[in-house]
């Protein structure tokens, strides 16, 4: 019976997976567009945009043909393209459902045929099409002669294949991270990383052209052209110059790189299919229960300490709050420091960081979302509301005050202008205190809900007006509140009183503290009186 069963099983013809997965990919694309005119408009507009941009980029790269630095430019472009493909699954893990191979672990599929099927189906989409346009333009820029043309025909599909395989290998190796809370946090921070990368690229490009153009990057390109899949473009350049031995070595490296990625992808896929998810396994070691009252903390006991700790925990654990804070911290440092490095900055530009962090005080109750009802149960008087707001402002000040001083010091060090450091610090702290003041008032008068779904949705439909009124109105009022310190700083700098500018530091600290105290005092009665309205407004998401 066993032999017959085995013979019968072996006689069943195996169905090729690749056509099935290609049809599955097309079905997912087609079904995703059904029933939604907005999705159709977004998809086809994206497709049209990719085709138009890809066409002009291909044309522009082809026009580099014959330029002395064409090889340097396209080899770097191939390396950057591969890096983007490697990072894309980490930044946008939910952008393509087929990137999650954990959906297939329960099916009786072997890893090697599955890798082939997934690879071919991955070539269907807007991203591979756009990459193919760049690959064709890159090889056209450096292909010369019959040998270069033959190498170009081989290099373009190899570059696309290497990029897609790299993305698949990275996505499969990190699939459980990408579907966890840490992965969602990484996706939320993708906008920040892209913004920081854009600033770095802008600074690098300006420094590059000031230093003499692409010729200064030739030592870097000499190394990059030996790193797959950029070796595919380097192969075309070498074959066009008659270096057939070098071109053959680069072709071998390209094929070896793609093979290594396929092997790594298959190994990760096998491990994923036979290894249980660690999140479903009970921990072997039970957690130790802390004794009541045994918490070691520098925070004061009572409501103030609890509210401060809750606010700081939201910063660390809540994905949207964390993304907002990290974005403010990074951009608040990048803008003044990069302007200083470019020679166009000022020490007073460090106030930008104080303004970015001061905005975190706005919509304090909306950041709690529906969990605010638990906090609302403990607010029964104006005193309770004041203590709650004071604790939240103190939590912000614990981070923002030393950060503001640090950013101002770094900017002053880069510029080399320490004489204006006291005045700039005092002005930044006065602005920070003013924004704590208006943030408390805006939180009480213009609360709105932050939706829990959507990485880039920060206001529920119908409350955008409240958000605009609270944030931009509060920023304008903050400028008015801190106007005396601003006017004093301008008078000391443009008048003949530079030696007295240090007085702005103690005055700015005192003014910021007074403004924040007044704002908390004025906002507390409104919170206590309008608590049901605030609770209803922030719970709509």
């Amino acid at each position: 019976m066993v032999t017959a069963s085995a013979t019968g099983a072996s006689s069943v013809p195996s169905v090729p997976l690749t056509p099935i997965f290609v049809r599955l990919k097309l079905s997912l694309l087609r079904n995703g567009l059904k029933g939604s005119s907005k999705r159709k408009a977004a998809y086809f507009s994206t497709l049209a945009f990719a085709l138009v941009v890809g066409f002009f980029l291909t044309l522009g790269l082809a026009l580099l043909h014959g330029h002395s630095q064409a090889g340097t430019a396209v080899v770097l472009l191939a390396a950057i393209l591969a890096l983007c493909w490697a990072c894309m699954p980490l930044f946008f893990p939910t952008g393509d459902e087929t990137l999650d191979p954990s959906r297939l672990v329960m099916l009786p599929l072997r890893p090697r045929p599955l890798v082939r099927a997934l690879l071919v189906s991955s070539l269907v989409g807007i991203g591979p099409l756009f990459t193919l346009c760049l690959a064709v333009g890159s090889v056209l820029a450096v292909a010369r002669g019959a040998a270069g043309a033959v190498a170009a025909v081989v290099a373009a599909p190899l570059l696309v294949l290497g990029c897609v395989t790299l993305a698949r290998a990275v996505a499969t190796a990190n699939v459980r991270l990408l579907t966890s809370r840490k992965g969602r946090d990484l996706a939320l921070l993708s906008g920040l990383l892209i913004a920081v990368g854009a600033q770095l690229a802008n600074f690098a490009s300006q420094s590059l052209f000031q230093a003499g153009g692409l010729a200064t990057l030739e030592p870097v390109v000499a190394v990059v052209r030996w790193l797959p899949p950029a070796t595919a473009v380097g192969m075309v350049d070498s074959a066009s110059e008659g270096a057939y031995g070098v071109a053959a070595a680069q072709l071998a490296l390209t094929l070896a790189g793609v093979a290594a990625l396929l092997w790594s992808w298959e190994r990760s896929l096998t491990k994923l299919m036979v290894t249980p998810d660690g999140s479903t396994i009970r921990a072997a070691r039970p957690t130790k229960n802390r004794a009541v009252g045994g918490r070691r903390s520098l925070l004061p006991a009572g409501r103030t300490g609890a509210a401060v700790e809750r606010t700081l925990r939201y910063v660390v654990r809540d994905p949207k709050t964390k993304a907002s804070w990290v974005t403010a911290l990074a951009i608040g440092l990048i803008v003044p420091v990069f302007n200083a490095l470019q020679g166009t900055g000022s020490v007073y530009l460090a106030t930008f960081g104080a303004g970015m962090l001061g905005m975190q005080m706005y919509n304090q109750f909306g950041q709690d979302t529906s969990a605010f009802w638990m906090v609302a149960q403990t607010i029964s008087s104006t005193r309770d509301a004041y203590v709650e707001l004071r604790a939240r402002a103190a939590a912000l000040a614990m981070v923002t005050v030393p950060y503001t001083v640090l950013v101002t010091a770094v900017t002053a060090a880069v510029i080399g202008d320490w004489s204006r450091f006291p005045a700039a610090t005092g002005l930044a702290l006065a602005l920070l205190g003013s924004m704590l003041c208006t943030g408390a008032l805006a939180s009480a008068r213009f609360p709105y809900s932050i939706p829990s779904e959507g990485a880039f949705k920060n206001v529920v439909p119908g409350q955008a007006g409240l958000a605009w009124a609270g944030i931009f109105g509060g920023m304008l009022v903050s400028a008015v509140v801190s106007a005396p310190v601003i006017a004093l700083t301008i008078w000391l700098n443009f008048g003949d009183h530079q030696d007295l500018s240090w007085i702005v530091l103690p005055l700015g600290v005192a003014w910021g503290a007074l403004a924040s105290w007044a704002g908390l005092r004025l906002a507390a009665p409104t919170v206590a009186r309008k608590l049901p309205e605030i609770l209803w407004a922030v719970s709509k998401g």
Side-chain angles (χ1 to χ4, degrees), residues 396-459:
L396 267 68
M398 289 172 61
V399 179
T400 55
V401 171
Y403 171 85
T404 300
V405 176
L406 176 63
V407 171
T408 310
V410 171
T411 307
V414 173
I415 296 176
D417 187 6
W418 287 100
S419 62
R420 289 183 170 85
F421 171 72
T425 305
L427 179 61
L429 293 177
L431 177 62
L432 177 61
S434 300
M435 296 196 75
L436 293 178
C437 165
T438 56
L441 292 170
S443 297
R445 296 183 178 275
F446 303 103
Y448 58 91
S449 179
I450 300 177
S452 56
E453 76 284 350
F456 305 102
K457 295 181 180 179
N458 294 316
V459 184

Side-chain angles (χ1 to χ4, degrees), residues 272-342:
L272 180 68
M273 297 175 74
V274 301
T275 305
D277 189 355
S279 62
T280 62
I281 302 176
R282 182 174 298 178
R285 298 180 181 178
T287 57
K288 296 180 179 179
N289 294 325
R290 293 183 178 180
V292 178
R295 183 185 64 181
R296 291 175 296 177
S297 175
L298 299 177
L299 300 176
R303 183 190 189 97
T304 300
V308 169
E309 184 175 1
R310 180 190 347 112
T311 302
L312 295 177
R313 283 183 184 273
Y314 280 165
V315 174
V316 176
R317 295 185 177 181
D318 181 65
K320 288 197 172 183
T321 305
K322 181 192 297 185
S324 178
W325 269 86
V326 174
T327 302
L329 290 169
I331 301 300
L333 177 64
I334 288 173
V335 170
V337 172
F338 271 54
N339 278 274
L341 289 172
Q342 294 173 0

Side-chain angles (χ1 to χ4, degrees), residues 238-263:
S238 300
S240 300
E241 294 177 355
Y244 302 122
V246 175
Q250 290 172 328
L251 175 60
L253 272 176
T254 305
L255 294 174
V258 173
L261 288 172
L262 289 172
W263 175 81

Side-chain angles (χ1 to χ4, degrees), residues 20-37:
I20 295 176
F21 272 73
V22 172
R23 291 196 299 269
L24 177 62
K25 181 65 174 288
L26 295 174
S27 297
L28 287 174
L29 291 175
R30 183 173 59 253
N31 294 336
L33 299 177
K34 287 183 178 179
S36 176
S37 57

Side-chain angles (χ1 to χ4, degrees), residues 56-302:
F56 283 107
L57 285 177
T58 303
L59 182 61
L61 289 170
L63 292 177
L64 290 177
H65 186 80
H67 193 277
S68 59
Q69 300 297 330
T72 301
V74 296
V75 168
L76 282 178
L77 176 62
I80 294 172
L81 194 62
L83 180 62
C84 292
W85 271 93
C87 296
M88 200 61 66
L90 301 177
F91 291 162
F92 305 103
T94 59
D96 185 357
E97 293 182 352
T98 63
L99 285 175
D100 186 2
S102 62
R103 299 172 182 264
L104 308 172
V105 296
M106 299 302 294
L107 300 177
L109 303 174
R110 294 184 179 274
R112 185 161 297 179
L114 184 58
V115 166
R116 289 197 298 266
L118 288 173
L119 177 59
V120 175
S121 63
S122 299
L123 296 174
V124 178
I126 298 177
L129 178 61
F130 184 75
T131 304
L132 180 62
C133 294
L134 294 181
V136 171
S138 297
V139 297
L140 289 177
V142 292
R144 298 184 302 276
V150 172
V153 173
V154 178
L158 276 180
L159 178 59
V160 177
L161 188 65
C163 290
V164 174
T165 307
L166 178 60
R168 279 293 186 173
V170 171
T172 304
N174 298 277
V175 63
R176 284 177 177 161
L177 169 65
L178 300 178
T179 54
S180 64
R181 194 185 75 177
K182 291 182 179 179
R184 291 191 294 269
D185 291 352
L186 181 61
L188 283 171
L189 296 177
S190 60
L192 167 65
L193 298 178
I194 293 173
V196 172
Q199 290 288 340
L200 292 173
N202 179 41
F203 178 69
S205 61
Q206 291 184 6
S207 302
L208 174 64
F209 287 109
Q210 290 175 0
L214 289 173
T216 58
L217 292 178
E218 289 183 355
V220 178
V221 175
V223 177
V224 172
R225 67 172 61 246
W226 290 98
L227 299 177
T231 47
V233 179
M235 173 191 65
V236 181
D237 193 22
S238 300
S240 300
E241 294 177 355
Y244 302 122
V246 175
Q250 290 172 328
L251 175 60
L253 272 176
T254 305
L255 294 174
V258 173
L261 288 172
L262 289 172
W263 175 81
S264 175
W265 181 8
E266 182 181 348
R267 184 180 179 184
S268 300
L269 192 60
T270 303
K271 182 179 179 180
L272 180 68
M273 297 175 74
V274 301
T275 305
D277 189 355
S279 62
T280 62
I281 302 176
R282 182 174 298 178
R285 298 180 181 178
T287 57
K288 296 180 179 179
N289 294 325
R290 293 183 178 180
V292 178
R295 183 185 64 181
R296 291 175 296 177
S297 175
L298 299 177
L299 300 176

